[in-house]
Amino acid sequence: MLKVAIIEDEPLAAEDLEKTLIQVDPEAEVVAKLASVESAVEWLENNEVDLILSDIELGDGLSFDIFNQVTNAAPIIITTAYDQYAIRAFKENSVDYLLKPIDKGELETAITKYKNWRQNGQEFDMGNLLEVLKPYSDQKFQERFLVTLGEKIHSIPEEEVAYFFSEDRYTFLVTKKGTQHIINTNLGDLEGSLNPKKFYRINRKFIISYGSIQNMVSYSKSRVKIDLVPPPPNSMEVVVSVERSGPFKRWLND
């Protein structure tokens, strides 16, 4: 029997992952579903499993914080969404790396890979994985945005931001109350500084927060049309670009 621990802070995602795992390997048993760094550290220090399925980002920190504290952690399959460079690095240093939403066939491949790895007597090197995860543990996201109103200077906290958009070579910040401010940062630089769990760049002109989405409808060429709150000026159309539609849907499901 394959004893598995799932580290995931979204209860529905954890349940779906467990169901998919059992379909892939009926002999697998999920002995723990852990939703935080704190609970995972405590449980793993006092229990042993054959395999861990772990998201990277949790509500109270990163899985890096768990594996940096637990001395007897099992081999790990990572379940999250990062850029292609990180995917290669994670695949080389963990058992496998799976993009959300988890595909049944990819999970089956990962479990087979783990079983082959175990049969061949390979040792899991936690140190290598920690080195890969470390840059993400050190990453800080921008939480306040400096704007000017005449001679007055204001600092707008992240939670008050609805979205950003660019127009006529200017970048605007729009608050949830509907006020607009010009900021001295382009969307490309902003995209790298924002928390990717809360903000997503849907096209060349818009970076939106999850909380600003009022409605979404299917559009042509598999795109998604979005109604934002507050609505953008001049009745600007807000449509997810073709190349970003797939990743955007994964972001919504994360």
Side-chain angles (χ1 to χ4, degrees):
M1 180 172 290
L2 179 64
K3 294 167 61 177
V4 180
I6 292 176
I7 302 176
E8 169 63 67
D9 63 350
E10 295 289 341
L12 289 178
E15 290 178 13
D16 287 343
L17 182 54
E18 180 179 15
K19 291 177 182 177
T20 306
L21 174 64
I22 300 304
Q23 291 173 2
V24 166
D25 186 349
E27 293 186 356
E29 178 188 6
V30 175
V31 295
K33 285 184 279 190
L34 309 164
S36 67
V37 171
E38 182 179 3
S39 63
V41 169
E42 181 180 358
W43 194 90
L44 290 171
E45 282 286 12
N46 295 285
N47 300 274
E48 292 187 1
V49 290
D50 299 312
L51 181 65
I52 296 171
L53 303 179
S54 177
D55 193 359
I56 289 183
E57 294 181 334
L58 304 170
D60 61 343
L62 300 175
S63 56
F64 171 89
D65 302 315
I66 300 169
F67 307 128
N68 203 32
Q69 298 178 62
V70 175
T71 57
N72 62 339
I76 300 161
I77 293 175
I78 293 173
T79 60
T80 189
Y82 272 104
D83 58 56
Q84 293 299 313
Y85 171 79
I87 289 175
R88 289 196 299 271
F90 289 145
K91 278 185 176 293
E92 290 171 3
N93 293 282
S94 63
V95 173
D96 212 338
Y97 174 96
L98 304 176
L99 285 171
K100 292 181 177 180
I102 303 302
D103 178 80
K104 180 180 177 181
E106 292 179 356
L107 179 58
E108 185 172 12
T109 299
I111 295 299
T112 300
K113 181 180 176 181
Y114 162 74
K115 290 182 176 180
N116 291 336
W117 173 90
R118 186 175 61 180
Q119 288 175 357
N120 292 333
Q122 291 177 254
E123 293 188 5
F124 183 69
D125 192 333
M126 179 61 70
N128 285 344
L129 180 58
L130 290 177
E131 284 300 313
V132 176
L133 289 173
K134 192 175 188 304
Y136 297 95
S137 72
D138 295 337
Q139 187 172 3
K140 304 297 182 184
F141 301 114
Q142 188 168 349
E143 297 180 346
R144 290 179 292 277
F145 304 87
L146 193 66
V147 301
T148 57
L149 290 173
E151 296 181 351
K152 294 183 178 180
I153 297 175
H154 293 274
S155 180
I156 299 177
E158 171 200 69
E159 58 267 20
E160 292 182 13
V161 178
Y163 52 87
F164 304 88
F165 74 92
S166 62
E167 188 175 41
D168 297 331
R169 293 183 294 181
Y170 292 102
T171 303
F172 296 86
L173 179 158
V174 180
T175 69
K176 292 178 179 178
K177 293 182 179 180
T179 58
Q180 295 180 33
H181 307 276
I182 294 177
I183 57 175
N184 295 320
T185 309
N186 61 49
L187 289 187
D189 291 337
L190 267 176
E191 185 178 8
S193 68
L194 298 171
N195 187 333
K197 273 202 165 185
K198 299 178 180 179
F199 293 90
Y200 195 87
R201 186 170 185 178
I202 59 169
N203 56 35
R204 290 187 300 107
K205 290 191 172 184
F206 278 90
I207 295 177
I208 66 172
S209 73
Y210 180 80
S212 70
I213 300 173
Q214 183 179 46
N215 293 303
M216 294 181 287
V217 295
S218 297
Y219 206 57
S220 62
K221 297 181 180 179
S222 301
R223 294 181 295 170
V224 179
K225 185 175 181 180
I226 301 173
D227 293 331
L228 295 175
V229 178
N234 304 321
S235 300
M236 293 176 68
E237 190 174 60
V238 183
V239 178
V240 184
S241 64
V242 173
E243 63 272 15
R244 292 178 181 263
S245 290
F248 174 69
K249 290 173 183 176
R250 289 198 294 269
W251 178 73
L252 291 172
N253 199 50
D254 188 3

